[in-house]
Amino acid sequence: MATRIAVIGGGIVGLATARALHGLVPDAEIVVFEKDSTVGTGQTGHNSGVVHSGIYYRPGTLKARLCVDGARRMRAYCEDRDLPRRTVGKVVVAVTEEELPGLEELGRRGAANGVEDVELLDREGLRRVEPAVRGIAALYLPGAMIVDFRMVCVAIARELDAAGVDVRVGAPVEFVQETADGVLVGLAEGTERFDVAVNCAGLYADRVAGSDPHGPRIVPFRGEYYALRPGAAARIAGMVYPVPDPRFPFLGVHLTPTIDGGVEAGPNAVLAFAREGYRRTDVDVHELWWTLSFPGFRRLAAEQWRSGLAELRRSFSAKAFAAELARLLPWVTPRDLRRTRSGVRAQAVGPDGALLDDFVVSERGMIVDVISAPSPAATAAFAIADHLAGMVTGRMTAIGGDDS
Ligand SMILES: Cc1cc2nc3c(=O)[nH]c(=O)nc-3n(C[C@H](O)[C@H](O)[C@H](O)COP(=O)(O)OP(=O)(O)OC[C@H]3O[C@@H](n4cnc5c(N)ncnc54)[C@H](O)[C@@H]3O)c2cc1C
């Protein structure tokens, strides 16, 4: 009998993992369970679409390696299949002298991580690349690209389908549990047995993993975007990022061109009152209670209430958002901005209130739980997938279940 593998979550990590598993164990019966009626609807379908180059991450870390390798493969995947993409370039801009050491550190990290094609620009250099952006120095990555990660998901799902992998949409998984008889996946219509399972449920990954009172939990943070009105958008050539604040795992409000030729500003980061709380009015009492009752969240709130309030103010007021953006674009006014879409980030928070910015993967018997796959997980999906598929096949070999 063929080995049966369940992948929970039809986001970019789940789909890429199913693809990698099919490559490693072509005879296995693989089922991808996606709760929604189509793939790529979670974080993957609501992100900035940036293929990150790998300058942010500490050299030698898994995140750095997976990002650089993954970015190269993501670009190649989109080019080979002619998926929507644009090479728009990127500047990371220091506005003050105090930000220069942070900018130089990013340059060093990029070089150590093997990121090619990075240039350090002075004020004049920045003016040549982005005349409308204020700054005293910048790192310039002319080859930086944006893609449509949702379309990447659709493409992978089609390939999986053609290869005989069962991508089941409209199939919410209630639990995944190891038993003496194998791994049981709980569905509305009953349970299904598998030999091994990978939980890539994004915003719901901790719930699917079952509640470990000592483990991290997912706290949903909504990231809201504004669209620049056409006159303002025409003044921006490519991606424009601030030097990130090392205290937070977020990259700061930035400007990103979109595939259809617009420019978006955002995202901020405000607590969402539901895991899929894309609107400020979306509240799920049960999910909100799960967040508020978590000691890790209460510690985080006690420590970061000041920055939380500032984010909230920017969420409600275009004027406050424009004021933040004016650090980089001194000419911008609220009239240049139009509120547009939002995404929700699955932020892993430790029981001590720490914001975890690395990948969090845990194992329980024959189940691999991807508790947190934060940015740049969309960029790095193919590299993360190889890593996860290696873990899965490693477990199968350990029990002699690999029939390939
Ligand atoms: C606002 C924002 C901007 C970002 N910008 C970037 C960027 O520019 N570049 C980048 O590389 N990364 C970016 N990221 C991060 C990136 O989007 C994520 O790291 C990545 O999409 C994670 O993919 P995933 O497959 O793990 O999760 P998801 O895309 O969330 O997929 C999880 C899937 O599991 C499904 N699911 C959940 N529960 C169940 C269940 N019980 N049963 C069945 N299915 C279930 C969901 O419906 C969903 O489809 C951004 C994230 C956000 C929120």
Side-chain angles (χ1 to χ4, degrees):
M1 220 172 67
T3 301
R4 302 199 75 221
I5 305 176
V7 178
I8 295 102
I12 200 157
V13 174
L15 291 165
T17 301
R19 180 175 182 264
L21 282 165
H22 178 69
L24 285 178
V25 205
D27 297 335
E29 246 180 67
I30 303 175
V31 183
V32 179
F33 294 97
E34 167 51 52
K35 70 175 174 56
D36 291 341
S37 58
T38 175
V39 294
T41 54
Q43 298 169 90
T44 305
H46 291 88
N47 67 18
S48 301
V50 177
V51 179
H52 286 294
S53 310
I55 58 172
Y56 293 115
Y57 317 111
R58 258 199 316 279
T61 58
L62 189 62
K63 213 171 181 180
R65 188 168 59 73
L66 296 181
C67 181
V68 175
D69 178 30
R72 186 184 46 76
R73 291 165 64 182
M74 184 57 66
R75 278 193 290 266
Y77 188 86
C78 291
E79 276 158 13
D80 290 351
R81 286 149 185 88
D82 201 18
L83 295 176
R85 65 196 184 278
R86 280 177 70 199
T87 300
V88 293
K90 169 175 177 172
V91 284
V92 182
V93 180
V95 176
T96 62
E97 295 276 340
E98 291 72 53
E99 289 175 343
L100 287 178
L103 190 74
E104 284 156 12
E105 173 61 14
L106 293 185
R108 274 193 295 276
R109 287 185 179 187
N113 291 341
V115 180
E116 290 160 6
D117 213 9
V118 190
E119 241 179 273
L120 183 61
L121 304 179
D122 59 11
R123 196 190 294 263
E124 274 313 304
L126 172 62
R127 197 166 293 155
R128 271 197 306 278
V129 176
E130 288 285 1
V133 174
R134 171 176 57 183
I136 57 171
L139 282 182
Y140 179 39
L141 297 104
M145 185 183 258
I146 51 165
V147 300
D148 183 338
F149 286 116
R150 193 196 288 248
M151 291 309 292
V152 175
C153 287
V154 171
I156 302 174
R158 274 202 197 117
E159 276 176 30
L160 290 174
D161 189 48
V165 172
D166 183 2
V167 181
R168 264 186 234 174
V169 292
V173 168
E174 288 166 8
F175 62 85
V176 186
Q177 196 183 325
E178 188 166 64
T179 68
D181 191 31
V183 173
L184 293 187
V185 170
L187 302 158
E189 60 276 17
T191 57
E192 211 171 305
R193 201 202 75 83
F194 289 86
D195 297 290
V196 59
V198 197
N199 160 17
C200 304
L203 284 153
Y204 290 93
D206 59 340
R207 303 296 298 266
V208 169
S211 47
D212 169 2
H214 307 296
R217 277 197 196 173
I218 293 302
V219 174
F221 280 94
R222 190 174 52 258
E224 295 153 328
Y225 293 85
Y226 283 82
L228 258 57
R229 292 196 187 277
R235 301 177 71 175
I236 305 299
M239 294 180 241
V240 181
Y241 278 66
V243 176
D245 182 337
R247 289 173 303 160
F248 301 109
F250 312 124
L251 295 177
V253 167
H254 48 264
L255 295 157
T256 315
T258 57
I259 291 285
D260 60 10
V263 175
E264 286 181 340
N268 56 357
V270 286
L271 179 69
F273 297 155
R275 295 212 177 201
E276 292 178 308
Y278 295 107
R279 293 168 307 178
R280 276 181 293 184
T281 48
D282 289 339
V283 182
D284 181 311
V285 175
H286 184 71
E287 291 178 359
L288 182 58
W289 175 246
W290 172 268
T291 299
L292 298 180
S293 62
F294 174 44
F297 173 73
R298 294 208 297 271
R299 285 190 190 111
L300 172 69
E303 277 166 31
Q304 304 291 352
W305 64 271
R306 235 180 263 277
S307 59
L309 278 185
E311 289 284 2
L312 209 57
R313 210 160 66 81
R314 284 193 284 275
S315 165
F316 278 89
S317 154
K319 203 171 151 200
F321 193 92
E324 168 74 9
L325 207 54
R327 283 191 82 242
L328 293 165
L329 310 181
W331 45 268
V332 86
T333 72
R335 278 207 304 258
D336 292 316
L337 304 173
R338 181 175 52 81
R339 211 176 261 286
T340 166
R341 63 188 187 93
S342 64
V344 181
R345 194 185 311 261
Q347 176 62 50
V349 177
D352 58 353
L355 291 165
L356 308 179
D357 66 350
D358 216 338
F359 302 124
V360 181
V361 180
S362 58
E363 293 170 277
R364 41 182 176 128
M366 296 303 282
I367 305 167
V368 175
D369 291 301
V370 182
I371 302 292
S372 177
S375 183
T379 298
F382 292 124
I384 295 173
D386 282 357
H387 184 75
L388 294 173
M391 284 174 80
V392 170
T393 51
R395 302 194 87 66
M396 283 162 40
T397 313
I399 60 147
D402 181 353
D403 64 351
S404 64

